[in-house]
Amino acid sequence: MSRTAAAPPTIEAGGGGGAQLAGAAAVPASSVLTAASNYDGGAATAAPTPSTATTAAGAPTSTAASPAAKASAGATASAAAAGTAGSSKLGLLYAVTRGQPTNYDMLVFRTLNRELGRPNANADTLAARLRDELMPRRSWLLKHLPGSRAQLRRTLENPLWGVPGAVNFIDARTKWFDGAVTEALADGIQQVVIVAAGYDTRAYRLGAPGVRFFEVDLPAASSAKKALVEKLKFVEDPARLPTFVAADLSRVSLAEALAGTAFEPSQRTLFTVEGLIYYLPQAAAGGLLAALSGLAVPGSRVYFDFMSLDALEGRGKFPGFKVTRKSVANKGEPFLSGIGPSREAVAAALAPHGLGLRAFLAPKDMVGLMLPHESWSDSSPPIASFYYYAAADK
């Protein structure tokens, strides 16, 4: 739970904060996300400590589930607890990663391939404007220091100390969620609910007449985002602005948060959950899926990305995973849950919530779909190899 109000947009340092979830599924507030400055969500609020996240990971839940459903839905308690451990406070990785919120870092990553002129870069033309407003000093260096963008990318993806495919991961994921929105709108869906919206810009880039977007986030984060969007004039017509839903979903259900807005419960809806599931304790991750399913009428869709349970539990080789895990834990934003990296495991995680698997993409699938110019390599993958992607139908 965020403990302070969002920092002004010009502040570059600070912890993370994002929407806290699963209230609709009767998950207690203590077991809901407390480290939710996810890859694209949240505002510059104070980050919770790893000990808080550890407590949340082990908190009981009143949501009934069979042992089989619990096994398929997320990481074991031991894996979740291990994920809260960052690097030594005396180490270089701790010093480098501690200060900058994860969502700020990923906002920078979202601009790199576009500005380097690399093929198949994402189409988020607004990300650079957000970066410039939120991180003026960092942006100035990237713009004016010769070779700084290319050097940053090489440093981030160095196989010795970085995460191979980190920047491409953001490109591919952004393109995939963009495609989810454009496909849904083309199929006649006219409501889009963006959970833990943070610095998502799809409402401003992909909106169309008659389509309603709802950006759900914590009150402080929602207020800061609204002020930022208005300042940068992302939308000239106020009628085209999304509905900013300011709610702490550990205290109210998603249905309650949307009540009193223009959200129409009887209409098909696209729900997107980007860069969030892996920061939720297992019970809260399942509670979020249940909450979304409870709001969705037949024909609705849910798109989300998730962490490989094999990576969380130390099975297999995932280049860059240990660095990533320690980096987010250093910020008080540890990885807490995962799903088995197979179509069958994801379908089993969705089934208890009345959701059917619509799409499943492994990292190699995502490269072929979104980054066809890249060649796959197990030892140095062109995209972070521990993130997977899924879509569900109601």
Side-chain angles (χ1 to χ4, degrees):
M1 184 180 302
S2 295
R3 294 182 178 85
T4 63
T10 54
I11 300 300
E12 296 188 34
Q20 298 172 323
L21 303 165
V27 177
S30 61
S31 69
V32 176
L33 173 64
T34 58
S37 176
N38 56 75
Y39 276 0
D40 282 297
T45 55
T49 63
S51 60
T52 302
T54 303
T55 301
T61 173
S62 60
T63 304
S66 68
K70 290 179 180 178
S72 65
T76 62
S78 60
T84 65
S87 54
S88 168
K89 292 184 179 181
L90 299 177
L92 179 61
L93 181 62
Y94 183 88
V96 169
T97 59
R98 178 60 180 168
Q100 185 87 346
T102 305
N103 56 350
Y104 276 40
D105 289 336
M106 298 305 146
L107 183 58
V108 172
F109 295 3
R110 205 150 80 234
T111 68
L112 285 178
N113 279 348
R114 279 183 53 82
E115 294 182 346
L116 287 168
R118 296 182 63 87
N120 299 304
N122 72 80
D124 189 347
T125 56
L126 301 178
R129 295 177 63 191
L130 286 169
R131 178 202 64 198
D132 294 351
E133 183 67 22
L134 291 164
M135 296 164 273
R137 289 171 291 178
R138 192 171 182 179
S139 294
W140 189 94
L141 290 173
L142 288 172
K143 288 179 176 180
H144 296 94
L145 189 65
S148 59
R149 294 186 182 97
Q151 181 59 51
L152 174 59
R153 192 177 190 274
R154 286 193 297 269
T155 301
L156 291 168
E157 301 190 338
N158 187 294
L160 296 179
W161 59 71
V163 184
V167 177
N168 280 345
F169 157 63
I170 296 300
D171 262 352
R173 191 182 70 176
T174 300
K175 287 157 64 72
W176 187 68
F177 276 100
D178 279 3
V181 174
T182 55
E183 181 184 4
L185 269 52
D187 290 344
I189 291 178
Q190 294 190 306
Q191 285 189 148
V192 180
V193 175
I194 302 169
V195 179
Y199 300 130
D200 188 294
T201 66
R202 294 183 179 94
Y204 319 102
R205 295 186 289 113
L206 305 177
V211 176
R212 295 183 297 276
F213 281 81
F214 300 83
E215 294 194 352
V216 184
D217 220 325
L218 285 171
S222 184
S223 176
K225 173 74 173 293
K226 184 174 185 293
L228 195 58
V229 166
E230 291 174 350
K231 178 179 181 179
L232 296 176
K233 295 183 169 32
F234 280 173
V235 178
E236 293 295 338
D237 180 4
R240 294 282 299 274
L241 282 170
T243 298
F244 295 93
V245 182
D248 180 346
L249 297 183
S250 70
R251 300 178 181 275
V252 299
S253 71
L254 183 57
E256 291 171 326
L258 291 169
T261 71
F263 180 80
E264 179 49 65
S266 64
Q267 287 192 8
R268 295 185 301 149
T269 303
L270 169 66
F271 298 90
T272 67
V273 187
E274 182 179 8
L276 175 62
I277 294 286
Y278 23 89
Y279 295 107
L280 293 171
Q282 177 181 334
L288 171 59
L289 293 174
L292 297 176
S293 179
L295 273 175
V297 299
S300 296
R301 304 170 186 177
V302 178
Y303 278 69
F304 61 97
D305 62 324
F306 66 94
M307 183 74 61
S308 165
L309 184 57
D310 285 357
L312 279 176
E313 295 187 336
R315 295 188 297 271
K317 294 183 179 180
F318 298 89
F321 175 71
K322 290 182 179 179
V323 172
T324 304
R325 186 178 207 168
K326 288 182 177 293
S327 295
V328 297
N330 287 343
K331 300 170 185 292
E333 306 162 14
F335 294 143
L336 296 175
S337 68
I339 304 174
S342 70
R343 180 177 293 272
E344 294 74 20
V346 178
L350 293 170
H353 310 296
L355 297 169
L357 184 62
R358 176 184 181 87
F360 167 82
L361 287 88
K364 191 172 182 178
D365 301 324
M366 186 63 88
V367 169
L369 184 65
M370 296 296 174
L371 304 170
H373 65 289
E374 297 280 8
S375 299
W376 184 263
S377 166
D378 289 334
S379 60
S380 185
I383 187 175
S385 60
F386 35 90
Y387 295 105
Y388 285 66
Y389 316 84
D393 287 317
K394 179 65 182 286

